[in-house]
Amino acid sequence: MSAVVLDHIQKWYGKEKTIALKEVSLEVEEGELFGLIGPDGAGKSSIFRILTTLILPDGGKASVLGKDVVDAYKFIRESVGYMPGRFSLYQDLTVEENLHFFATVFGTTIEENYDLIKDIYVFLEPFKHRPAGKLSGGMKQKLALCCALIHQPKVLFLDEPTTGVDPVSRKEFWDMLKRLKSKNITVLVSTPYMDEAGMCDRVALIHQGKILAIDSPEGISKAYPFDLYEVKSDKISVTLNQLRKHISVKSCYSFGDVLHVSFEKGFTAINEVLDAITIDHLEVKKIEAGVEDSFMAYMTN
Amino acid sequence: MEKVITAHQLTKKFGQFIATNAITFDVKAGEIFGFLGANGAGKTTAMRMLCGLSKPSSGEAKIAGYDIYTQTESIKQHIGYMSQKFSLYEDLTVTENIRFFGGIYGLSQQQIKEKSDALIQRLELSSVAHTLLSSLPLGWKQKLAFSVAILHEPKIVFLDEPTGGVDPVTRRQFWDLIYEAAAKGITIFVTTHYMDEAEYCDRISIMVDGKMEALGTPLELKQQFKAVTMDEVFYILARGAKRIE
Amino acid sequence: MKRLLSFVKKEFKHVMRDRKTLLILFGMPVVQILIFGFALSNEIKESGIVVLDNSHSETSRKFIEKVSSGHYFEVENLIDDNAELENSFKEGKVKLALVIPNHFEERVLAGEPSNLQVVVDASDPNTATVLTNYIAAISRDFQMQMSQLPVTPQLIQPEVRMLYNPQLKGAPNFVPGVMALVLMLICVMMTAVSIVREKETGTMEILLVSPFHPFMVIMAKAIPYMFISLLNVTTILLLSVWVLDLPINGSILLLYAESSLFIAASLAIGIFISIKTSSQQVAMLISLMGMMLPTILFSGFMFPIENMPLPLQVISNIIPAKWFYIIVKSIMIKGLGFSYIWKETLILFGMTLFFFLISLKNFKIRLS
């Protein structure tokens, strides 16, 4: 049985009926770490809110643990954990008080489920008497995760848990999610950072309310429709502009200190293209596409 | 080369807590300067001091030639500022926003008209020129916000995580705008959590626990820390951080 | 039950950690009582007057002495002509002037009617009326003293007895009023704001996605404010007994029971506002404009309702504070029992039930 099912879900907002979700369908298997990858405003939060029974879909059906999100909202509210996009704990309560409070709200105690949160809580332990509002971004995120986990949910919904968090804390956070997987908790997590897709079992790329692709990160990369080359240059921006103007070049984007240039599959005349560039000492090699390459290819098609 | 930012031993203390600890650096005119650091490393505090919003506890700094203790009003005239949180008015249209901010910086009606036409054309916003900002995608808003922040041709523009949550294509278009501005001689001072963006900067500094632990071009830093990517440089530095606040 | 308890504990922590709000919560009743008690008193006390004595007689001097002997008036000046009289008013030093006629002595002693001219600053009509009444009473008294004969025996001589408040003090009037005002403000505003705050910070989102019925969230919010409000009732009562010398004539138990009912009504209104609004500012504004103003205007403690035009009198009936004001006055000042106020109690109860039910009906189990 799939833990989460979205079947042609539609959602629009406001008087102008701005489309938030267009016929979104996806399934998340039990025990899977599933990522929703897309920029802000893509519709990720709407999906989370529909699945956590906070808003009603305007079309289509959705279920969590086999139960409909509209009819069985009480059941779902008892069985899932949810961490909203914004830091949503009580800033004036201490770390320990927040955790204790959410435990009681869910009818349990910290002791009962300490096993599950132990790995995360060790980071927080030294600050347990500090008000939540005075924690750093990474620590707040860890506390919010603890609070969402305290009642041993079967499905965990994490809406952009790593946004605005520095790379080191982000990495720690993903390590924790991997450990949760071993406890057979289904995790649905969203992120605008493309490089985090690799941490998930499967991902859905989402943009402007539409699913672009659903697959494993490897599958997403494999499905990249072009041949991709990495170009190193001393004068990145000049090289970029010249490559973009070349007729055979499908796309050219900067990736850190290199360029990613794509050509039609099976394109062989790459050396001719490079000869046309006025910059010397170009280093070129063929590479596998990453999730970000794929995302941009889907976006611009 | 003219230096538009010079900071010497710049320090800010909150009681016993040293948020920014004696940072010293220069930024040249037209340079793209990346200001990196983990959450709570003291970036925001330093940036507020440089914008003339908060008085340092000790140390000196000049922004566009003006002293940050005594000439904060002149500083504000010569800088632009844009952050992820506040940029433009959501309940005004694109043109209204441009006109309003142009007016604030004392541009004439004629100037505002010319600049706003050019800007709308450059950003390809003519179809939504009279649309409320709230209904535009985030990436468009951020590009517009940046363009508005440099409407009055400031010497320096401070960008606080300008591309957070923006899609990958628009993110790169945003950096195209940054390059254009830098080519016109505007100095860019930018913070980001995307490590690939660190590579786009001419020079980067990395703050750890309130101190500036690294300063140089991306290439220099990678060599210095024997790393292949900026990501690694960042990990090596940030992992040594003691302060978790 | 354990969940509810834990929730209530959490609410107390919120309140106790917010020093500024705490100060407002417990400072407001004290400040209001003191302001109304000492600064805004509408009692007449040593009002400055001037006297133009045209009679220059033994009797007129005795009369002036009598006027100034009580604590109502203080003779600022004896003046010589009308111009000076006019100036005294222009300078704003006096509220009232007495002009004693030429043949004052002869007429008073003969028991004949005498025209005592009273000039009064009527820019504040209430005070003006009170002042002239006092002067009239004093002069009647004086005439009876001076003439041996019963004066104008054919007239009915009203003998006034001030019930419940013989000294005509302001306190019996405003203490119940302040009680209504303070409880209304604290209960309505604080509950509304604290619930809306959970919406704003996003914690409501988490609470909705929990097995804890969200309406219980709201009930749990009400309990701490009920407690705080009862503390405030105690503060106000202690202040009025010890500082303002206003005894509680009726049953204290009944007073607390009725206060609890009024608090419940206010909490229900606060909950209703919180359900209908989504930002703290709007909740605050509605509570202030929608509750405080009508409470001041229509509860009857500042402006007598009987003097209002009929439509306003009708409107005043939907203001809970009006009924509570009547109840508190009846118990505290008149010392009446429940049998005299059961009607008002029933109305308050009905209001509480009404707001509670429409809150329950309007409560959304999802985000809008």
Side-chain angles (χ1 to χ4, degrees):
Chain A
M1 187 189 68
S2 300
V4 173
V5 179
L6 286 167
D7 184 12
H8 293 89
I9 286 291
Q10 304 247 42
K11 180 75 200 171
W12 46 77
Y13 286 109
K15 279 183 215 120
E16 293 108 52
K17 303 239 158 160
T18 318
I19 299 280
L21 295 174
K22 278 182 226 165
E23 310 245 338
V24 169
S25 299
L26 62 87
E27 289 187 22
V28 181
E29 298 304 320
E30 234 169 86
E32 202 174 14
L33 176 52
F34 191 97
L36 277 178
I37 317 281
D40 284 5
K44 302 189 300 287
S45 297
S46 299
I47 293 180
F48 278 107
R49 286 179 169 172
I50 287 172
L51 289 172
T52 50
T53 75
L54 282 170
I55 55 174
L56 296 171
D58 293 316
K61 281 210 153 297
S63 67
V64 174
L65 297 165
K67 300 273 166 76
D68 187 84
V69 291
V70 180
D71 305 331
Y73 75 91
K74 280 193 176 149
F75 168 82
I76 293 172
R77 288 180 182 189
E78 279 180 39
S79 350
V80 306
Y82 173 46
M83 193 172 142
R86 223 156 21 132
F87 177 69
S88 306
L89 299 174
Y90 297 101
Q91 314 258 359
D92 55 342
L93 298 189
T94 67
V95 169
E96 205 177 26
E97 284 165 348
N98 264 297
L99 199 56
H100 181 77
F101 172 71
F102 283 101
T104 352
V105 163
F106 281 92
T108 179
T109 58
I110 300 177
E111 294 73 36
E112 215 171 296
N113 294 307
Y114 189 69
D115 249 15
L116 196 59
I117 60 163
K118 189 172 61 192
D119 295 339
I120 312 165
Y121 196 63
V122 287
F123 288 100
L124 291 164
E125 190 99 48
F127 313 105
K128 64 179 180 187
H129 297 301
R130 187 181 288 190
K134 297 215 166 124
L135 293 174
S136 72
M139 283 295 160
K140 278 182 183 168
Q141 237 66 354
K142 287 180 188 116
L143 174 59
L145 181 63
C146 276
C147 291
L149 273 173
I150 194 68
H151 61 295
Q152 285 206 312
K154 295 191 183 67
V155 186
L156 194 56
F157 295 106
L158 309 174
D159 193 3
E160 296 208 7
T162 54
T163 296
V165 177
D166 66 77
V168 176
S169 307
R170 263 158 59 191
K171 200 165 178 311
E172 281 172 4
F173 197 83
W174 279 98
D175 289 342
M176 285 168 205
L177 294 189
K178 293 230 152 169
R179 253 172 269 146
L180 286 180
K181 219 179 96 68
S182 64
K183 304 205 160 109
N184 206 34
I185 296 175
T186 309
V187 182
L188 184 61
V189 57
S190 70
T191 176
Y193 298 102
M194 303 283 151
D195 56 346
E196 292 181 344
M199 312 280 191
C200 306
D201 296 330
R202 285 195 307 142
V203 296
L205 305 187
I206 178 167
H207 184 57
Q208 294 180 344
K210 266 200 314 210
I211 301 272
L212 302 175
I214 302 177
D215 208 334
S216 63
E218 302 76 37
I220 297 271
S221 301
K222 287 244 164 59
Y224 186 69
F226 308 113
D227 278 349
L228 191 66
Y229 290 85
E230 181 190 284
V231 176
K232 254 191 180 166
S233 162
D234 296 339
K235 299 231 159 84
I236 285 278
S237 66
V238 183
T239 318
L240 178 99
N241 283 330
Q242 294 189 3
L243 278 170
R244 269 192 189 161
K245 284 185 192 124
H246 198 283
I247 188 104
S248 313
V249 172
K250 285 274 146 195
S251 71
C252 179
Y253 294 110
S254 53
F255 267 76
D257 57 346
V258 296
L259 297 173
H260 284 191
V261 193
S262 66
F263 301 95
E264 211 60 76
K265 273 225 194 272
F267 183 78
T268 47
I270 180 117
N271 284 331
E272 284 166 36
V273 175
L274 294 175
D275 285 343
I277 307 294
T278 58
I279 307 292
D280 296 334
H281 309 301
L282 296 179
E283 282 177 49
V284 184
K285 63 176 180 198
K286 191 155 192 261
I287 53 164
E288 291 290 314
V291 170
E292 190 157 2
D293 295 298
S294 294
F295 194 97
M296 289 196 279
Y298 282 116
M299 248 186 84
T300 47
N301 269 355
Chain B
M1 198 63 138
E2 186 200 352
K3 284 175 182 165
V4 285
I5 301 179
T6 56
H8 186 71
Q9 300 284 315
L10 198 60
T11 302
K12 178 83 183 185
K13 289 182 191 165
F14 297 104
Q16 291 293 307
F17 181 74
I18 306 172
T20 307
N21 194 350
I23 56 172
T24 300
F25 67 99
D26 300 326
V27 181
K28 294 189 279 288
E31 196 173 20
I32 302 174
F33 189 82
F35 197 57
L36 311 189
N39 297 114
K43 279 179 299 175
T44 312
T45 314
M47 201 134 138
R48 290 177 66 87
M49 285 192 285
L50 297 176
C51 291
L53 295 173
S54 116
K55 259 207 164 72
S57 308
S58 63
E60 287 146 37
K62 281 208 156 104
I63 307 297
Y66 300 104
D67 185 76
I68 60 169
Y69 287 93
T70 53
Q71 296 170 298
T72 52
E73 283 315 308
S74 308
I75 289 177
K76 285 175 195 165
Q77 280 292 321
H78 291 87
I79 62 169
Y81 177 78
M82 174 208 161
S83 84
Q84 196 190 358
K85 281 154 220 130
F86 168 78
S87 36
L88 302 172
Y89 290 99
E90 294 274 312
D91 52 355
L92 295 183
T93 68
V94 171
T95 15
E96 283 165 351
N97 265 299
I98 301 175
R99 255 186 245 145
F100 173 74
F101 282 100
I104 278 197
Y105 283 108
L107 301 184
S108 70
Q109 281 304 314
Q110 183 63 24
Q111 279 174 308
I112 292 176
K113 173 115 189 43
E114 280 165 18
K115 277 172 182 281
S116 105
D117 288 348
L119 204 158
I120 285 173
Q121 204 168 6
R122 165 67 185 87
L123 297 179
E124 294 165 26
L125 290 173
S126 42
S127 60
V128 291
H130 300 290
T131 308
L132 289 188
L133 213 69
S134 52
S135 53
L136 295 186
L138 175 74
W140 296 21
K141 285 188 223 170
Q142 296 302 78
K143 284 197 280 181
L144 180 63
F146 174 70
S147 308
V148 167
I150 58 169
L151 204 63
H152 61 297
E153 289 164 22
K155 286 251 170 75
I156 312 156
V157 61
F158 290 90
L159 308 175
D160 192 2
E161 283 186 47
T163 55
V166 175
D167 71 72
V169 174
T170 316
R171 205 147 68 77
R172 286 171 174 82
Q173 291 169 351
F174 192 92
W175 274 89
D176 290 343
L177 291 178
I178 291 184
Y179 282 125
E180 276 174 35
K184 277 190 227 157
I186 297 177
T187 307
I188 315 284
F189 189 95
V190 59
T191 72
T192 179
H193 279 325
Y194 291 98
M195 283 304 130
D196 59 333
E197 292 186 345
E199 301 272 8
Y200 306 155
C201 302
D202 295 326
R203 279 194 307 148
I204 334 170
S205 66
I206 301 180
M207 298 267 295
V208 181
D209 289 354
K211 291 198 188 115
M212 195 171 268
E213 291 290 359
L215 177 66
T217 66
L219 194 65
E220 283 167 7
L221 292 187
K222 280 184 280 186
Q223 283 165 352
Q224 183 188 342
F225 290 93
K226 297 183 180 61
V228 180
T229 60
M230 277 312 297
D231 247 341
E232 286 175 46
V233 175
F234 193 86
Y235 283 129
I236 293 166
L237 282 169
R239 215 175 273 145
K242 300 272 182 299
R243 194 152 95 197
I244 313 182
E245 220 266 325
Chain C
M1 198 54 217
K2 203 178 151 217
R3 292 179 188 184
L4 190 67
L5 199 69
S6 148
F7 216 115
V8 172
K9 258 198 238 160
K10 184 210 88 175
E11 286 313 315
F12 270 113
K13 280 179 191 154
H14 285 318
V15 176
M16 298 317 271
R17 279 182 199 169
D18 188 354
R19 291 287 155 85
K20 280 183 205 145
T21 312
L22 205 62
L23 196 70
I24 294 173
L25 279 180
F26 292 106
M28 190 159 68
V30 177
V31 170
Q32 292 225 19
I33 284 285
L34 295 182
I35 286 177
F36 279 98
F38 295 105
L40 289 180
S41 166
N42 49 4
E43 288 173 45
I44 306 300
K45 230 189 257 168
E46 278 154 30
S47 283
I49 61 169
V50 287
V51 182
L52 174 57
D53 186 0
N54 292 323
S55 162
H56 296 290
S57 58
E58 181 68 25
T59 313
S60 70
R61 267 193 296 280
K62 272 188 186 158
F63 180 64
I64 295 169
E65 214 167 275
K66 177 151 179 84
V67 168
S68 57
S69 67
H71 64 271
Y72 298 122
F73 299 106
E74 173 136 341
V75 178
E76 295 270 323
N77 209 355
L78 291 170
I79 49 176
D80 299 326
D81 54 32
N82 278 325
E84 217 175 323
L85 185 145
E86 224 168 285
N87 275 334
S88 316
F89 276 104
K90 280 183 186 157
E91 285 165 18
K93 275 194 284 192
V94 297
K95 291 259 178 245
L96 183 137
L98 279 179
V99 183
I100 301 173
N102 275 334
H103 306 291
F104 185 68
E105 188 171 42
E106 296 92 311
R107 295 201 174 191
V108 170
L109 291 179
E112 280 171 29
S114 169
N115 290 328
L116 178 71
Q117 196 187 2
V118 180
V119 185
V120 63
D121 174 359
S123 54
D124 175 359
N126 280 337
T127 313
T129 316
V130 174
L131 287 177
T132 40
N133 283 343
Y134 283 164
I135 286 288
I138 290 169
S139 46
R140 207 162 37 234
D141 213 24
F142 181 72
Q143 194 169 14
M144 295 220 293
Q145 263 181 25
M146 293 309 289
S147 72
Q148 312 305 332
L149 302 161
V151 195
T152 51
Q154 66 270 38
L155 288 180
I156 297 168
Q157 201 49 253
E159 192 189 306
V160 182
R161 195 154 72 88
M162 299 292 185
L163 276 181
Y164 308 125
N165 182 14
Q167 297 93 27
L168 289 177
K169 279 200 213 158
N173 212 27
F174 75 76
V175 167
V178 167
M179 242 162 97
L181 193 64
V182 166
L183 295 182
M184 192 85 197
L185 264 180
I186 288 176
C187 297
V188 175
M189 197 158 74
M190 291 297 164
T191 32
V193 166
S194 83
I195 295 170
V196 173
R197 188 187 299 138
E198 300 238 3
K199 288 195 201 176
E200 272 193 352
T201 56
T203 40
M204 193 55 111
E205 215 171 311
I206 299 188
L207 293 174
L208 280 173
V209 188
S210 83
F212 192 51
H213 193 288
F215 199 74
M216 293 295 281
V217 173
I218 283 175
M219 290 312 296
K221 288 263 173 194
I223 293 173
Y225 291 107
M226 168 71 92
F227 186 78
I228 289 168
S229 301
L230 284 174
L231 266 180
N232 274 331
V233 171
T234 312
T235 316
I236 293 174
L237 292 181
L238 285 177
L239 278 175
S240 69
V241 171
W242 298 111
V243 181
L244 300 171
D245 294 326
L246 185 70
I248 300 164
N249 293 324
S251 151
I252 291 185
L253 205 66
L254 183 61
L255 192 59
Y256 269 95
E258 295 283 354
S259 300
S260 304
L261 179 64
F262 179 66
I263 292 167
S266 310
L267 289 174
I269 295 172
I271 288 171
F272 182 66
I273 291 175
S274 78
I275 286 172
K276 286 290 177 194
T277 53
S278 52
S279 85
Q280 290 186 55
Q281 282 102 315
V282 176
M284 183 97 87
L285 209 66
I286 293 182
S287 312
L288 277 177
M289 300 304 287
M291 292 301 135
M292 193 171 142
L293 213 59
T295 299
I296 292 176
L297 288 179
F298 294 121
S299 64
F301 99 91
M302 293 278 258
F303 310 100
I305 293 169
E306 308 86 72
N307 298 353
M308 291 180 186
L310 192 63
L312 291 185
Q313 288 197 30
V314 173
I315 288 175
S316 76
N317 287 332
I318 62 165
I319 307 297
K322 170 187 168 172
W323 305 106
F324 182 61
Y325 178 68
I326 296 173
I327 292 172
V328 176
K329 259 180 108 166
S330 305
I331 301 174
M332 255 185 99
I333 316 301
K334 301 186 189 167
L336 301 178
F338 183 68
S339 54
Y340 292 89
I341 50 170
W342 66 271
K343 248 192 281 173
E344 286 81 4
T345 308
L346 198 65
I347 292 170
L348 267 188
F349 186 75
M351 286 177 170
T352 313
L353 204 64
F354 172 75
F355 277 106
F356 190 74
L357 287 178
I358 59 166
S359 298
L360 197 62
K361 200 166 175 310
N362 278 280
F363 185 74
K364 290 194 193 72
I365 55 159
R366 297 175 207 277
L367 300 175
S368 45

